[in-house]
Amino acid sequence: MKIIITELAVNVSESSPDLIRLAAEKLKINKNEILGFKIRKKALDARKKNDICYKYSLVLDVTDALGGRLVTANKAMPYQPKSLPKLIPGETKLNHRPVVVGAGPCGLFAALILAAYGLNPLLIERGKPIAQRKNDVALLEAKGALDGDSNVCFGEGGAGTFSDGKLTTRIKDVRALRVLETFVDCGADEEILYLAKPHLGTDGMRRIVANLRKRIETLGGEVRFGAKLKKISEENGRITGIAYTQAGETFTLNTDVLILAAGHSAGDTYRMLQSQNVVLEKKPCAIGFRIEHPKAMIDAAQYGRFAPHLGAAEYSLTAKHGGRGVYSFCMCPGGQVVCASSKEGRLIVNGMSYSGRDMENSNAAIVAALAPEDTPNGPLGALELIERIEKNAFDMGGGFCAPVQAAADYIQGKPSTAFGDTKPSYKPGTVFADLNILMPDYVNAAIKTGLIQFDRQIDGFVRQGLLTGVETRTSSPVRVPRGEDLQSINLAGLYPAGEGAGYAGGIVSAAVDGIRVAEAIVSAYHIE
């Protein structure tokens, strides 16, 4: 019989704890009565700064008799594993193979499921394979030379590949387990299956997405890079085909089904949809800046005397200014601020870290909520506001150099003149500026309120903080409405999916949405 025990406390200094012994002591049984075990969850409990520890949940193998007694005594719970549906290939009622647009987590997992069911999908991605994409990002950092289709936002793996690679998610969906298990099959460490806050780092993501693409191809899918969607053909309210460009040529193909997983930075794609009368709507998003601090300062503030045992520390901060939320987002411990621009003449920053999280600074976005009513000019109103802010940031920096300002100076509304304890990690370079100029007054007011409140939680947050502008890609400002069948509400065969379409908010949730959409297509067109 398999049972679960929880709240098993382990000292953070123990690198290889004897979990069977600790479990037996907690249950008051002989350790030899435990026939086997696996870790179900490992989480850091840092609520008490003077008593930080790891908390484990374990699945134990015991005899039925012992398990029954422990469950009856409320010392354990029976283990009921989540079940995932089996993928059984078969015939299809589709007249043409399905097309997936975008090779981020959503598109990759959608294509993987379709391929596993034998539907031979075509995945088109405007960017390049990860090896070439990595070189293009390095060129931007070194020389300020941008490839508009191969950068931090576009290319194999999507924006999440150049991030901290966080795999945490708030959604309670069994498909999240399939995502993590697939990552393990593609080279991730098995610990991501039980860590409370797993992450892969950008180096881990790069390796895994390349293996994921190879798996799609092995199952009969096809991936074409440098292929940008330009037009959707339709007849009587149903998709009949697409046109895309590749290497300067335009290609057309017929399809019954199009999964649109274009990502949150594909503004040109959403304008194309609007021109073709696909229904769009604004959705809430958030805008602001990146803030950096010395990693050692954040580690000490979060972990105190335990910091030497725990590595790079995370934080998650929230505040309110009136009715507007202010919060930290995409925190990258021991990472760097990177240029996330995908178009000449616009400057966007983001955060990234490697799996070791061992760089000098830690950074996070500090953003204020942007509600649909803040931008009243149609479904693309928020997108247009964001693009104006990005253009102004580009002009302020004189190109892809980023404007920076000490957090204390930002609050006071004066440009900084020298770096203090925190030196910028951003490349290709920075310029001092007053970031207040870039944002609407209501955003500045909210962020300042948030910074002051965050400083009360983490001493030195303002005094040692360095802001870099601008962070505008926290989530898509546009949603493509879809019905219960997951198709566009006015164009049958179009399946909007993932972050860019407004239905996800991270690597795992985007991947899960891709799986859901693929399953809906299989359900509608598959013959077992």
Side-chain angles (χ1 to χ4, degrees), residues 6 8 45 50 71 154 188 208 293 370 377-378 389 410 458 491 501:
T6 62
L8 191 66
D45 186 348
N50 293 322
V71 170
F154 296 141
I208 287 162
H293 301 89
L370 194 65
N377 301 321
I389 292 171
Y410 168 72
I458 298 178
L491 184 56

Side-chain angles (χ1 to χ4, degrees), residues 93 217 284 355 366 369 378 411 466:
K93 293 180 280 187
E217 293 171 333
S355 56
I366 301 294
I411 291 172
L466 178 69

Side-chain angles (χ1 to χ4, degrees), residues 63 138 252 260 434 440 463:
T63 63
T252 61
L260 185 69
D434 184 1
R463 185 179 67 256

Side-chain angles (χ1 to χ4, degrees), residues 218-366:
T218 299
L219 290 169
E222 180 184 358
V223 182
R224 297 179 188 173
F225 292 104
K228 184 188 298 187
L229 177 69
K230 300 300 288 186
K231 183 180 178 182
I232 296 172
S233 300
E234 59 94 11
E235 188 174 316
N236 299 322
R238 170 170 288 280
I239 276 187
T240 58
I242 65 165
Y244 68 93
T245 58
Q246 187 179 36
E249 294 187 56
T250 299
F251 300 87
T252 61
L253 57 87
N254 298 324
T255 188
D256 309 284
V257 164
L258 176 67
I259 298 177
L260 185 69
H264 59 36
S265 294
D268 52 354
T269 300
Y270 300 109
R271 287 190 168 89
M272 179 270 290
L273 294 177
Q274 185 183 48
S275 72
Q276 296 195 223
N277 298 315
V278 174
V279 174
L280 306 176
E281 63 185 21
K282 283 186 292 189
K283 63 173 282 293
C285 58
I287 56 177
F289 311 105
R290 277 271 147 184
I291 192 165
E292 289 190 272
H293 301 89
K295 182 177 84 70
M297 170 253 176
I298 296 295
D299 294 349
Q302 295 297 88
Y303 295 151
R305 63 187 177 87
F306 296 96
H309 302 291
L310 296 173
E314 299 184 50
Y315 59 77
S316 178
L317 304 169
T318 61
K320 283 279 189 180
H321 177 79
R324 193 179 302 275
V326 189
Y327 54 94
S328 63
F329 174 80
C330 187
M331 199 267 161
C332 297
Q336 68 183 92
V337 178
V338 297
C339 181
S341 297
S342 56
K343 188 171 183 178
E344 197 69 40
R346 295 187 192 145
L347 177 67
I348 308 103
V349 300
N350 203 342
M352 181 186 84
S353 58
Y354 293 92
S355 56
R357 290 178 164 179
D358 54 3
M359 301 182 78
E360 185 176 350
N361 289 353
S362 291
N363 71 80
I366 301 294

Side-chain angles (χ1 to χ4, degrees), residues 284-288 327 367-370 386 471-475:
C285 58
I287 56 177
Y327 54 94
V367 294
L370 194 65
I386 286 169
E471 171 92 27
T472 52
R473 303 288 175 88
T474 58
S475 65

Side-chain angles (χ1 to χ4, degrees), residues 19-31:
L19 295 175
I20 291 182
R21 177 182 62 80
L22 293 172
E25 290 175 355
K26 182 180 177 70
L27 295 172
K28 294 182 171 53
I29 61 175
N30 189 298
K31 64 181 295 184

